[in-house]
Amino acid sequence: MFPEFDDICCRYTFACGDDWTVTSGLEEGVTQTSKKSSDGRQIFVLNFPLDITFKSTNPYGWPQLVVHAYGSDVFGKEIVRGYGVTHVPITPGRHVQKLAMFVPESSSRFQKFLSWFVSRRPEYTDPTRVASGEGREVTRVRSQGYVTVTFNVVTKDMKKMGYDSTPSDVTNALPGSQTSAASPDS
Amino acid sequence: MAELHLIGQIVGASEFPDSSLFCKFGIHTGGAWKVLGGLREGQTQVDNPEIGDTAYWSHPIDIHFATKGLQGWPKIYFQVWHQDTFGRNELYGYGHCHVPTSPGMHKIDCVTWRPSGNLQEQIMQNFVGGGPQLKSADLIYSGADRFHLKTTAMGKVHMHLGVILRNFDKYGVEC
């Protein structure tokens, strides 16, 4: 949902720690460009499938989904409309997440005008920056939309390696460390 | 040693008088706890939201603890600050909450407070801004010496936290 814009196209990337590898599925992708629905809902439907399997020896560096949205401005140039990030849920099951989408702001009013004029807004050189906690104190952002993502998570061999990700009274025989997420989103 | 992974996000904050906010946070643990990986402290971005009154920080948290005892279970503490259009920072609230002891995903809303000071300070704050602040951050998460303080309620900080425990059951700890 982006109330201020008419067309949106999303890209996604998974960011994960050093111990993690992708065993199957696509780590990156681009959705179609969607126009805002003309009814009262004012939403963009992307309905884009994600399907990926990760493998690791250690939960540290758990994968994060980074979504970055683009749209065209009045001059027809492609402009970034938001960055959003969330961790892949750690528990097996279906999870619906609403990601806030924010863009970095220009540091001064003059730069803001200049960047509007030449259609080059501030953006991150590497979108996966938003998945790291370092160096954030220097950025000023404006959040201007949401992206909804549905995760269906399956874990494997977590229990066998001694990891508990569900409370003990509901811990059951889900045999033991792989995470996979699959979801159509909007 | 038993291990604890804390994986999640400081989502944002709402219900503050102004919504151009950022937050400094840290995780306090007892002496038996060691950080094996990840950042124990941090500062979020400043968000000035276009829609609604919730400031979104989407600040990732991924910390790996090892411990020999349960005493001093990790606590997350916050200082929420407001940044105005001139870039001046003003304290908006302090808050803390315990990391949940049960593994799984948790949605946590943490309430915050701010020292209100005496009448003169309150009037001053109304006209010139600023206001009293804590000298040491310990008071945010400790129960001692709180009785000196007069405080007022501020907004909420929202978090999504995932907790993964390892080998706690081996030592007979039921979480």
Side-chain angles (χ1 to χ4, degrees):
Chain A
M1 190 195 81
F2 287 86
E4 302 210 344
F5 308 118
D6 290 331
D7 50 347
I8 286 291
C9 147
C10 283
R11 294 167 199 212
Y12 77 86
T13 322
F14 281 95
C16 48
D18 300 333
D19 295 343
W20 290 77
T21 46
V22 175
T23 54
S24 77
L26 291 170
E27 224 174 320
E28 289 184 332
V30 191
T31 72
Q32 72 273 29
T33 303
S34 168
K35 268 204 166 323
K36 187 154 68 185
S37 68
S38 41
D39 51 15
R41 297 173 303 162
Q42 302 266 300
I43 55 167
F44 301 90
V45 174
L46 297 172
N47 199 229
F48 189 80
L50 310 171
D51 190 345
I52 191 162
T53 308
F54 293 96
K55 185 174 86 178
S56 175
T57 52
N58 181 1
Y60 180 62
W62 195 275
Q64 293 181 70
L65 172 67
V66 178
V67 180
H68 31 137
Y70 295 82
S72 43
D73 70 350
V74 283
F75 306 113
K77 279 266 198 103
E78 194 177 68
I79 295 285
V80 67
R81 293 304 191 202
Y83 295 90
V85 63
T86 184
H87 276 97
V88 173
I90 59 159
T91 52
R94 186 169 183 276
H95 306 262
V96 181
Q97 300 264 25
K98 199 166 134 189
L99 319 194
M101 303 294 282
F102 51 85
V103 283
E105 288 244 275
S106 302
S107 46
S108 70
R109 258 162 230 260
F110 175 69
Q111 270 184 356
K112 197 169 179 169
F113 171 73
L114 200 70
S115 66
W116 177 84
F117 197 69
V118 299
S119 294
R120 273 183 64 91
R121 307 293 163 87
E123 50 184 275
Y124 295 113
T125 48
D126 177 10
T128 57
R129 273 241 54 95
V130 295
S132 111
E134 275 171 281
R136 286 205 166 209
E137 57 273 22
V138 293
T139 43
R140 247 183 272 179
V141 303
R142 173 176 290 268
S143 55
Q144 48 190 11
Y146 302 99
V147 169
T148 310
V149 187
T150 311
F151 291 97
N152 285 291
V153 179
V154 176
T155 59
K156 180 174 176 287
D157 289 337
M158 290 275 280
K159 191 70 208 162
K160 210 167 88 184
M161 315 293 270
Y163 291 106
D164 283 328
S165 63
T166 46
S168 51
D169 56 339
V170 292
T171 306
N172 42 35
L174 249 187
S177 96
Q178 270 192 3
T179 313
S180 89
S183 61
D185 62 20
S186 71
Chain B
M1 285 218 275
E3 293 169 39
L4 184 148
H5 288 269
L6 183 60
I7 295 166
Q9 203 177 55
I10 303 180
V11 177
S14 60
E15 297 168 45
F16 281 91
D18 202 310
S19 48
S20 170
L21 303 170
F22 70 96
C23 158
K24 297 178 186 177
F25 69 96
I27 297 178
H28 174 80
T29 56
W33 295 73
K34 261 198 323 213
V35 175
L36 299 184
L39 301 166
R40 193 190 259 273
E41 289 178 327
Q43 184 176 324
T44 67
Q45 61 205 10
V46 186
D47 185 27
N48 188 8
E50 184 91 32
I51 35 176
D53 77 329
T54 305
Y56 285 101
W57 299 318
S58 305
H59 195 99
I61 293 178
D62 190 339
I63 307 181
H64 183 187
F65 290 105
T67 181
K68 290 182 193 149
L70 294 179
Q71 195 60 247
W73 193 275
K75 282 183 245 196
I76 308 183
Y77 58 92
F78 310 96
Q79 295 176 25
V80 180
W81 293 75
H82 165 244
Q83 188 172 71
D84 67 9
T85 45
F86 303 104
R88 297 178 301 184
N89 300 328
E90 182 189 0
L91 179 85
Y92 258 21
Y94 295 111
H96 93 280
C97 68
H98 277 96
V99 170
T101 49
S102 73
M105 293 297 291
H106 303 271
K107 279 188 179 169
I108 297 173
D109 290 346
C110 179
V111 290
T112 62
W113 52 271
R114 165 170 90 169
S116 56
N118 56 27
L119 188 66
Q120 185 197 344
E121 282 167 325
Q122 282 174 41
I123 294 168
M124 278 247 296
Q125 185 169 13
N126 220 349
F127 289 103
V128 239
Q133 294 174 22
L134 295 182
K135 262 186 173 167
S136 71
D138 307 353
L139 217 60
I140 305 172
Y141 49 80
S142 83
D145 291 337
R146 283 264 189 120
F147 61 92
H148 295 300
L149 277 171
K150 276 199 184 125
T151 64
T152 47
M154 297 302 276
K156 283 180 188 158
V157 176
H158 310 286
M159 282 177 294
H160 286 169
L161 290 179
V163 176
I164 301 177
L165 303 176
R166 188 186 190 202
N167 293 342
F168 274 80
D169 46 357
K170 219 172 87 182
Y171 296 98
V173 179
E174 291 151 355
C175 293

